[in-house]
């Protein structure tokens, strides 16, 4: 027993030494306000999938931080040890309803928050926990011949559990969304009742071989730019802002630069250099820089980080993507167990991939089919193949006289 | 066979619930207080960092030498606490003519400036002793 206690203390000491000195706590505000960005992530990912409008896509993943001191929660009472979590699932499937016309179904789901224990299905709902979920679904219709897509659906944001010191918030919010794409241009809107919450205009000019474009040449160096108008309230006043995101191929669809800039007042948000050894994007490396801002205190600084993405694992440290997706967590290693794969025709690639994954296809030929030994299974005599097909005799009814049934006790 | 695979997979997923961290950490703190002072202990609070909000953790009267029950709460991390003691004053009624004193006790709760403590979860045993300066010494096991 003493040995177990010693082990436990050692583990705690090691965990504290390894992470607590570096990790910054996430704030209650970033946790409570995360729903807006989770919904936006869903719509942004859907927009990328709908660039082609057919094929299929699956994505499943969860952030994993093994130590409770890695992402503590900062409340008015102090720093609580526990776990920030974000579990996600996404799926898109389409079917050809008529030649060149595709009907698609989109389903995105995220469960996110912070709790005293890590979990997969059942949270502990500790006194200071906050558990929410966002479900986005929609239907899409694509005319492949004229290259346009229309899609629409709903977003449900549900508050599952909130501890006592979290501010009061609506426990169930319903949004609608719609998207229209023609060729490489798309418009996407998110609405709450009749109020537009965000409006995104995108142009993805870069040629993607998986979507029928060229794999080299000047057209693969055209930019992908989107501008999103977000509704925001600061200090009781509407302070809308526009975030412009620019993705630029720098070299052979393997090296990319990304910049996000907020207009009119906030300025630079983040930038990243991403390198994909293969344009299918199953493996990726990124270095990023993000400008952190605290409006109330009026300060900002630059945070540099990096991440490695492998087919089932993503590891990052101060990466801009993780900072935005995991409630502004920084100063600690963040692992994400994840898998995503998109298919279009015979092409297989990861999210945002430009070419098909280098997967080897082996064609297995059946050899010596004629000389296969007979008699290993049931074989019909040769004569039976020429005979008329067998007919089922079915259920045979026998007429029973009334006296007999009565003596047997009726039905 | 397929059914067994699904059940095995589900069991694996269910065991992920909270168990990963539970090998070496606790997600709640069990606190017990022993009062070795000459005062009467009446409670322990968590105090917010700005000092305005308090959340009671222990509400139990402990005479000198007594030990409290165990109180389990989800306070795992770094927080400020304050102790509450009973302070006894005398109020006396004096008869002017006879100069006789008729005294009664007046009880009051006294606390101190909140102190920061780190709770790693699990069992914590707090021993309160009198200080030479007239204060209270807090020892946490």
């Amino acid at each position: 027993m003493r040995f177990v206690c010693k082990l436990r203390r050692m583990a705690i000491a090691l965990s504290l030494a390894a992470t607590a000195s570096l990790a910054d706590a996430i704030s209650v505000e970033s946790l409570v306000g995360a729903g807006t960005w989770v919904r936006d992530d869903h719509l942004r990912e859907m927009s990328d999938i709908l660039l082609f409008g057919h094929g299929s896509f699956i994505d499943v993943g969860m952030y994993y931080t093994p130590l409770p001191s890695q992402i503590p929660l900062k409340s008015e009472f102090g720093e609580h040890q526990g776990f920030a979590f974000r579990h996600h699932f996404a799926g898109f499937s389409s079917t050809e309803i008529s030649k060149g016309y595709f009907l698609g179904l989109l389903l995105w789901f995220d469960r996110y928050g912070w709790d005293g224990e890590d979990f997969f299905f059942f949270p502990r709902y500790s006194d200071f926990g906050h558990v929410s979920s966002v479900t986005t679904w929609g239907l899409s219709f694509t005319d492949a011949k004229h290259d346009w897509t229309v899609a629409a659906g709903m977003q449900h944001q549900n508050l599952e559990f909130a501890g006592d010191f979290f501010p009061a918030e609506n426990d169930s919010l319903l949004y609608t969304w719609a998207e229209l794409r023609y060729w490489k241009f798309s418009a996407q809107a998110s609405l709450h009742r009749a109020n537009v919450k965000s409006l995104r205009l995108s142009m993805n000019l870069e040629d993607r071989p998986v979507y029928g474009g060229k794999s080299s040449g000047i057209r693969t160096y055209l930019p992908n730019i989107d501008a999103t108008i977000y509704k925001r309230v600061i200090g009781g006043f509407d302070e809308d802002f526009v975030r412009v995101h620019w993705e630029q191929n720098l070299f052979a669809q393997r090296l990319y630069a990304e910049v996000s800039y907020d207009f009119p007042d906030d300025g630079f948000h983040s930038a990243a250099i991403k390198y994909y050894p293969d344009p299918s994007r199953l493996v990726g490396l990124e270095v990023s820089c993000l400008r952190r801002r605290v409006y109330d205190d009026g300060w900002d600084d630059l945070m540099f980080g990096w991440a490695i993405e492998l087919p089932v694992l993503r590891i990052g440290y101060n990466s801009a993507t993780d900072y935005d997706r995991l409630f502004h967590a920084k100063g600690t290693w963040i692992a994400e167990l994840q898998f995503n794969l998109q298919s279009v025709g015979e092409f297989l690639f990861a999210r945002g991939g430009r070419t098909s994954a280098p997967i080897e296809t082996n064609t297995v030929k059946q050899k010596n089919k004629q000389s296969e030994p007979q008699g290993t299974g049931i074989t019909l005599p040769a004569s039976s193949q020429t005979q008329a097909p067998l007919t089922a005799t079915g259920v045979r009814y026998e007429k029973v006289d009334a006296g007999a049934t009565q003596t047997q006790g009726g039905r | 066979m397929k059914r067994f695979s699904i059940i095995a997979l589900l069991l694996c997923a269910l065991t992920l619930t909270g168990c990963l961290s539970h090998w070496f950490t606790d997600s709640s703190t069990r606190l017990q207080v022993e009062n070795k002072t000459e005062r009467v202990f009446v409670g322990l609070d968590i105090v917010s960092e700005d000092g305005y909000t308090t959340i009671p953790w222990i509400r139990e009267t402990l005479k000198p030498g007594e030990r409290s029950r165990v109180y389990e709460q989800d306070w795992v991390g770094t927080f400020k606490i304050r102790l509450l003691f009973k302070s006894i004053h005398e109020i006396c009624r004096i008869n002017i003519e006879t100069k006789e004193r008729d005294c009664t006790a007046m009880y009051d709760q006294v606390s101190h400036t909140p102190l920061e403590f780190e709770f790693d979860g699990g069992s914590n045993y707090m021993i309160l002793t009198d200080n030479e300066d007239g204060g209270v010494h807090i020892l946490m096991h």
Side-chain angles (χ1 to χ4, degrees):
Chain A
M1 192 63 198
R2 184 170 287 181
F3 178 70
V4 173
C5 283
K6 245 183 193 175
L7 265 181
R8 207 176 96 165
R9 275 183 195 167
M10 272 172 63
I12 291 170
L14 273 175
S15 67
L16 288 174
T19 58
S21 56
L22 298 167
D24 281 11
I26 59 169
S27 70
V28 168
E29 292 75 27
S30 65
L31 197 58
V32 171
T36 306
W37 298 109
V38 175
R39 283 187 285 108
D40 190 59
D41 286 345
H42 283 192
L43 294 182
R44 190 176 277 278
E45 287 175 15
M46 281 180 175
S47 187
D48 196 54
I49 299 298
L50 292 173
L51 275 178
F52 200 54
H54 56 94
S56 57
F57 174 71
I58 190 158
D59 169 46
V60 60
M62 64 181 280
Y63 277 102
Y64 178 57
T65 49
L67 305 169
S69 53
Q70 269 186 277
I71 307 180
L73 174 69
K74 177 84 179 161
S75 78
E76 60 177 312
F77 296 101
E79 271 192 20
H80 305 256
Q81 287 189 11
F83 299 85
F85 63 90
R86 186 163 171 179
H87 302 165
H88 58 96
F89 164 80
F92 167 69
S93 179
S94 67
T95 181
E96 192 169 16
I97 48 173
S98 174
K99 191 163 174 57
Y101 297 103
F102 295 86
L103 191 67
L105 176 68
L106 303 122
L107 178 67
W108 260 244
F109 174 77
D110 258 81
R111 197 182 191 193
Y112 60 91
W114 189 95
D115 202 9
E117 286 179 9
D118 54 349
F119 69 96
F120 194 67
F121 284 132
F122 305 112
R124 179 168 174 264
Y125 301 125
S126 69
D127 290 350
F128 314 106
H130 192 276
V131 184
S132 299
S133 67
V134 170
T135 308
T136 308
W137 61 268
L139 290 168
S140 70
F141 176 79
T142 300
D143 176 355
K145 191 181 168 191
H146 299 101
D147 201 9
W148 61 271
T149 296
V150 62
M154 307 209 83
Q155 289 193 303
H156 308 259
Q157 184 179 325
N158 294 304
L159 177 64
E160 192 177 318
F161 176 82
D164 290 339
F165 62 56
F166 288 98
E169 55 185 310
N170 201 328
D171 68 345
S172 183
L173 290 165
L174 191 60
Y175 298 82
T176 46
W177 68 275
E179 170 151 347
L180 183 65
R181 176 189 69 87
Y182 176 68
W183 191 46
K184 294 182 174 185
F185 300 92
S186 33
Q188 190 186 50
S190 167
L191 297 98
H192 180 247
R193 293 174 189 152
N195 303 317
V196 176
K197 303 302 284 186
S198 72
L199 179 66
R200 184 174 5 254
L201 300 171
S202 321
M203 51 180 193
N204 292 275
L205 301 175
E206 181 194 345
D207 258 13
R208 300 188 187 195
V210 286
Y211 292 166
K214 289 180 178 173
S215 59
S216 62
I218 193 74
R219 288 174 67 176
T220 60
Y221 288 93
L222 293 176
N224 303 315
I225 302 172
D226 66 69
T228 314
I229 304 167
Y230 293 101
K231 303 290 281 185
R232 180 174 60 172
V233 178
I234 296 177
F237 294 98
D238 283 345
E239 293 275 350
D240 301 351
F241 74 104
V242 180
R243 176 164 293 173
V244 174
H245 182 254
W246 183 320
E247 185 189 35
Q248 179 63 50
N249 173 21
L250 296 178
F251 174 70
Q253 296 191 314
R254 285 174 168 80
L255 189 68
Y256 280 84
E258 287 182 22
V259 180
S260 288
Y261 198 90
D262 294 345
F263 292 97
D265 302 323
D266 293 342
F268 174 73
H269 172 69
S270 68
I273 298 285
K274 297 184 176 178
Y275 173 66
Y276 305 99
D278 187 82
S280 64
R281 294 197 175 183
L282 286 171
V283 176
L285 281 166
E286 67 175 73
V287 287
S288 63
C289 169
L290 180 133
R291 187 161 147 231
R292 301 194 309 141
R293 265 189 298 263
V294 174
Y295 293 104
D296 296 342
D297 299 343
W299 64 265
D300 64 283
D301 67 356
L302 291 176
M303 181 186 82
F304 294 88
W306 55 266
I308 300 173
E309 192 162 330
L310 302 167
V312 289
L313 180 70
R314 180 192 153 90
I315 295 176
Y317 185 85
N318 285 358
S319 145
T321 314
D322 294 334
Y323 182 85
D324 281 339
R325 284 174 62 86
L326 203 61
F327 329 119
H328 302 171
K330 73 172 278 283
T332 188
W333 298 70
I334 293 172
E336 187 188 10
L337 304 168
Q338 57 91 32
F339 176 79
N340 69 79
L341 200 65
Q342 189 177 349
S343 86
V344 171
E346 289 178 350
F347 299 137
L348 279 177
F349 51 97
R351 189 201 322 270
R354 303 308 200 232
T355 61
S356 185
I359 297 170
E360 205 173 311
T361 308
N362 291 322
T363 310
V364 181
K365 288 180 181 172
Q366 285 185 309
K367 292 176 182 173
N368 305 326
K369 200 178 176 185
Q370 294 299 321
S371 62
E372 250 182 303
Q374 296 288 316
T376 49
I378 298 167
T379 51
L380 289 169
S383 60
S384 68
Q385 293 171 7
T386 55
Q387 283 177 358
L390 292 170
T391 51
T393 51
V395 181
R396 192 174 62 183
Y397 293 93
E398 287 182 15
K399 201 173 181 181
V400 182
D401 61 305
T405 51
Q406 277 176 6
T407 53
Q408 285 168 12
R411 286 178 292 175
Chain B
M1 191 61 200
K2 195 179 171 187
R3 191 183 298 167
F4 283 120
S5 309
I6 291 169
I7 290 169
L9 199 69
L10 275 175
L11 281 174
C12 285
L14 288 172
T15 52
L16 287 172
T17 305
C19 82
L20 301 176
S21 56
H22 278 194
W23 288 98
F24 50 88
T25 59
D26 280 292
S27 55
S28 63
T29 302
R30 297 178 293 279
L31 184 62
Q32 191 174 20
V33 179
E34 185 176 359
N35 182 17
K36 287 187 176 175
T37 65
E38 294 302 317
R39 304 152 192 258
V40 178
F41 171 92
V42 287
L44 186 148
D45 291 336
I46 295 281
V47 185
S48 66
E49 289 188 335
D50 59 11
Y52 288 115
T53 315
T54 56
I55 294 184
W57 188 343
I58 293 176
R59 280 290 175 273
E60 190 176 337
T61 305
L62 302 177
K63 290 175 195 161
E66 281 186 344
R67 202 188 302 176
S68 76
R69 290 196 293 272
V70 177
Y71 293 86
E72 186 173 2
Q73 292 271 354
D74 287 345
W75 296 106
V76 181
T78 309
F79 311 103
K80 285 181 172 175
I81 64 162
R82 72 171 189 189
L83 305 169
L84 300 174
F85 293 97
K86 193 169 272 188
S87 159
I88 304 170
H89 309 280
E90 269 195 337
I91 290 183
C92 297
R93 183 171 56 196
I94 304 168
N95 192 320
I96 299 171
E97 291 172 1
T98 60
K99 305 290 181 195
E100 275 181 6
R101 288 163 65 90
D102 179 15
C103 292
T104 182
M106 187 177 81
Y107 294 99
D108 193 11
Q109 278 186 3
V110 290
S111 63
H112 55 88
T113 311
L115 295 167
E116 197 167 274
F117 269 83
E118 193 173 317
F119 298 99
D120 288 331
S123 291
N124 283 266
Y125 193 67
M126 185 183 274
I127 298 173
L128 308 175
T129 51
D130 278 325
N131 210 339
E132 295 96 15
D133 308 334
V136 175
H137 188 75
I138 303 170
L139 190 69
M140 188 86 96
H141 286 290

Coordinates of all heavy atoms in Angstrom, one line a residue, chain B residues 39-45 54 56-62 82-89 105-113:
Chain B
R39 N -9.4 27.3 21.0 CA -10.6 28.1 20.5 C -11.6 27.1 20.1 O -11.4 25.9 20.0 CB -10.2 28.9 19.3 CG -9.1 29.9 19.5 CD -8.4 30.2 18.2 NE -7.1 30.9 18.5 CZ -7.0 32.2 18.3 NH1 -8.0 32.9 17.9 NH2 -5.9 32.8 18.6
V40 N -12.8 27.6 19.7 CA -13.9 26.7 19.2 C -13.9 27.0 17.7 O -14.2 28.1 17.2 CB -15.2 27.1 19.8 CG1 -16.3 26.2 19.2 CG2 -15.1 26.8 21.3
F41 N -13.7 25.9 16.9 CA -13.7 26.0 15.4 C -15.2 25.8 15.0 O -15.9 25.0 15.5 CB -12.8 24.9 14.9 CG -12.9 24.7 13.4 CD1 -12.1 25.3 12.5 CD2 -13.9 23.8 12.8 CE1 -12.2 25.1 11.1 CE2 -14.0 23.6 11.5 CZ -13.1 24.2 10.6
V42 N -15.6 26.7 14.0 CA -17.0 26.5 13.6 C -17.1 26.3 12.1 O -18.2 25.9 11.6 CB -17.9 27.7 14.0 CG1 -18.2 27.7 15.4 CG2 -17.3 29.0 13.5
G43 N -16.1 26.5 11.3 CA -16.2 26.3 9.9 C -15.0 26.6 9.0 O -14.0 27.2 9.5
L44 N -15.1 26.2 7.7 CA -14.0 26.5 6.8 C -14.7 26.9 5.4 O -15.6 26.2 5.0 CB -13.2 25.3 6.6 CG -11.9 25.4 5.7 CD1 -10.8 24.4 6.3 CD2 -12.2 25.0 4.3
D45 N -14.2 28.0 4.9 CA -14.8 28.5 3.6 C -13.8 28.6 2.5 O -12.6 28.8 2.8 CB -15.3 29.9 3.8 CG -16.6 30.0 4.7 OD1 -17.2 28.9 4.8 OD2 -16.8 31.0 5.3
T54 N -17.9 33.9 -0.9 CA -17.4 32.7 -0.1 C -18.4 31.5 -0.3 O -19.6 31.7 -0.5 CB -17.4 33.0 1.4 OG1 -18.7 33.4 1.8 CG2 -16.4 34.1 1.8
P56 N -19.1 27.9 1.6 CA -18.8 27.1 2.7 C -18.4 25.7 2.3 O -18.9 25.1 1.4 CB -20.1 27.0 3.5 CG -21.0 28.0 2.9 CD -20.6 28.2 1.5
W57 N -17.4 25.2 3.0 CA -16.9 23.8 2.7 C -17.3 22.9 4.0 O -17.9 21.9 3.9 CB -15.4 23.7 2.5 CG -14.9 22.4 2.0 CD1 -15.5 21.2 2.2 CD2 -13.7 22.1 1.4 NE1 -14.7 20.2 1.6 CE2 -13.6 20.7 1.1 CE3 -12.6 22.9 1.0 CZ2 -12.5 20.2 0.5 CZ3 -11.5 22.3 0.3 CH2 -11.5 21.0 0.1
I58 N -16.9 23.4 5.2 CA -17.1 22.7 6.4 C -18.0 23.6 7.3 O -17.6 24.8 7.5 CB -15.8 22.2 7.1 CG1 -15.1 21.2 6.2 CG2 -16.1 21.7 8.5 CD1 -13.7 20.8 6.8
R59 N -19.0 23.0 7.9 CA -19.8 23.7 8.9 C -20.0 22.7 10.0 O -20.9 21.9 10.0 CB -21.2 24.1 8.3 CG -21.2 25.4 7.5 CD -20.9 26.6 8.4 NE -20.8 27.8 7.6 CZ -19.6 28.2 7.0 NH1 -18.5 27.5 7.2 NH2 -19.6 29.4 6.3
E60 N -19.1 22.8 11.0 CA -19.2 21.9 12.1 C -18.5 22.5 13.3 O -17.4 23.1 13.1 CB -18.5 20.5 11.8 CG -18.8 19.5 12.8 CD -18.2 18.1 12.5 OE1 -18.0 17.9 11.3 OE2 -17.9 17.3 13.4
T61 N -19.1 22.4 14.5 CA -18.5 23.1 15.7 C -17.6 22.1 16.3 O -18.0 20.9 16.7 CB -19.6 23.5 16.6 OG1 -20.5 24.4 16.0 CG2 -19.0 24.2 17.8
L62 N -16.3 22.5 16.4 CA -15.3 21.6 17.1 C -14.8 22.3 18.3 O -14.1 23.3 18.2 CB -14.2 21.3 16.1 CG -14.5 20.7 14.7 CD1 -13.2 20.5 13.9 CD2 -15.1 19.3 14.9
R82 N -10.5 30.2 4.3 CA -10.4 30.9 5.6 C -11.1 30.0 6.6 O -12.0 29.3 6.4 CB -11.1 32.3 5.5 CG -12.6 32.2 5.4 CD -13.3 33.5 5.5 NE -14.7 33.4 5.6 CZ -15.6 34.4 5.5 NH1 -15.1 35.6 5.3 NH2 -16.8 34.1 5.6
L83 N -10.6 30.1 7.9 CA -11.1 29.4 9.0 C -12.0 30.3 9.8 O -11.8 31.5 10.0 CB -10.0 28.8 9.9 CG -9.0 28.0 9.1 CD1 -7.8 27.8 10.0 CD2 -9.5 26.7 8.7
L84 N -13.1 29.7 10.4 CA -14.0 30.5 11.2 C -13.9 29.9 12.7 O -14.0 28.7 12.9 CB -15.4 30.4 10.8 CG -15.7 30.9 9.3 CD1 -17.1 30.5 9.0 CD2 -15.4 32.3 9.3
F85 N -13.7 30.8 13.6 CA -13.7 30.4 15.0 C -14.7 31.2 15.8 O -15.1 32.3 15.4 CB -12.3 30.7 15.7 CG -11.2 29.9 15.1 CD1 -10.4 30.3 14.1 CD2 -11.0 28.6 15.6 CE1 -9.4 29.5 13.6 CE2 -10.0 27.8 15.1 CZ -9.2 28.2 14.1
K86 N -15.1 30.6 16.9 CA -16.1 31.3 17.8 C -15.3 32.2 18.8 O -14.4 31.7 19.4 CB -16.9 30.3 18.5 CG -18.2 30.9 19.1 CD -19.1 29.8 19.6 CE -20.1 29.4 18.5 NZ -21.1 28.5 18.9
S87 N -15.7 33.4 18.8 CA -15.1 34.3 19.8 C -16.1 34.6 20.9 O -17.3 34.9 20.6 CB -14.6 35.5 19.1 OG -14.4 36.6 19.9
I88 N -15.7 34.6 22.1 CA -16.6 34.8 23.2 C -16.3 36.1 23.9 O -15.2 36.3 24.4 CB -16.6 33.6 24.2 CG1 -16.8 32.3 23.5 CG2 -17.6 33.8 25.4 CD1 -16.5 31.1 24.4
H89 N -17.3 36.9 24.0 CA -17.2 38.2 24.8 C -18.2 38.1 25.9 O -19.2 37.4 25.8 CB -17.5 39.4 23.9 CG -16.7 39.4 22.6 ND1 -15.4 39.8 22.5 CD2 -17.1 39.0 21.3 CE1 -15.0 39.7 21.3 NE2 -16.0 39.2 20.6
A105 N -22.6 35.6 28.1 CA -21.6 35.5 27.0 C -22.2 35.9 25.7 O -23.3 35.7 25.4 CB -21.1 34.1 26.9
M106 N -21.3 36.6 24.9 CA -21.8 37.0 23.5 C -20.8 36.3 22.5 O -19.6 36.4 22.6 CB -21.6 38.5 23.3 CG -22.2 39.0 22.0 SD -22.1 40.7 21.8 CE -20.5 41.0 21.3
Y107 N -21.4 35.5 21.6 CA -20.6 34.7 20.7 C -20.5 35.5 19.4 O -21.4 36.1 18.9 CB -21.3 33.4 20.4 CG -21.3 32.5 21.7 CD1 -22.4 32.4 22.5 CD2 -20.1 31.8 22.0 CE1 -22.4 31.6 23.6 CE2 -20.1 31.0 23.2 CZ -21.3 30.9 23.9 OH -21.3 30.2 25.1
D108 N -19.4 35.4 18.8 CA -19.1 36.0 17.5 C -18.2 35.1 16.7 O -17.4 34.3 17.2 CB -18.4 37.4 17.8 CG -18.4 38.3 16.6 OD1 -19.1 37.9 15.6 OD2 -17.6 39.3 16.6
Q109 N -18.3 35.3 15.3 CA -17.4 34.5 14.5 C -16.3 35.3 14.0 O -16.5 36.5 13.6 CB -18.2 34.0 13.3 CG -19.0 32.7 13.6 CD -19.6 32.1 12.3 OE1 -19.4 32.6 11.2 NE2 -20.4 31.1 12.5
V110 N -15.1 34.8 14.2 CA -13.9 35.6 13.7 C -13.2 34.8 12.6 O -13.2 33.5 12.7 CB -12.9 35.9 14.8 CG1 -13.5 37.0 15.7 CG2 -12.5 34.7 15.5
S111 N -12.7 35.5 11.6 CA -11.9 34.8 10.6 C -10.7 35.6 10.3 O -10.4 36.6 10.9 CB -12.8 34.7 9.3 OG -13.1 36.0 8.8
H112 N -9.9 35.1 9.4 CA -8.6 35.7 9.1 C -8.6 36.1 7.6 O -9.5 35.7 6.8 CB -7.5 34.8 9.5 CG -7.6 33.5 8.8 ND1 -7.1 33.2 7.5 CD2 -8.2 32.3 9.1 CE1 -7.4 32.0 7.2 NE2 -8.1 31.4 8.1
T113 N -7.5 36.7 7.2 CA -7.3 37.0 5.7 C -7.1 35.6 5.0 O -6.4 34.8 5.5 CB -6.0 37.8 5.5 OG1 -6.1 38.9 6.4 CG2 -5.9 38.3 4.1

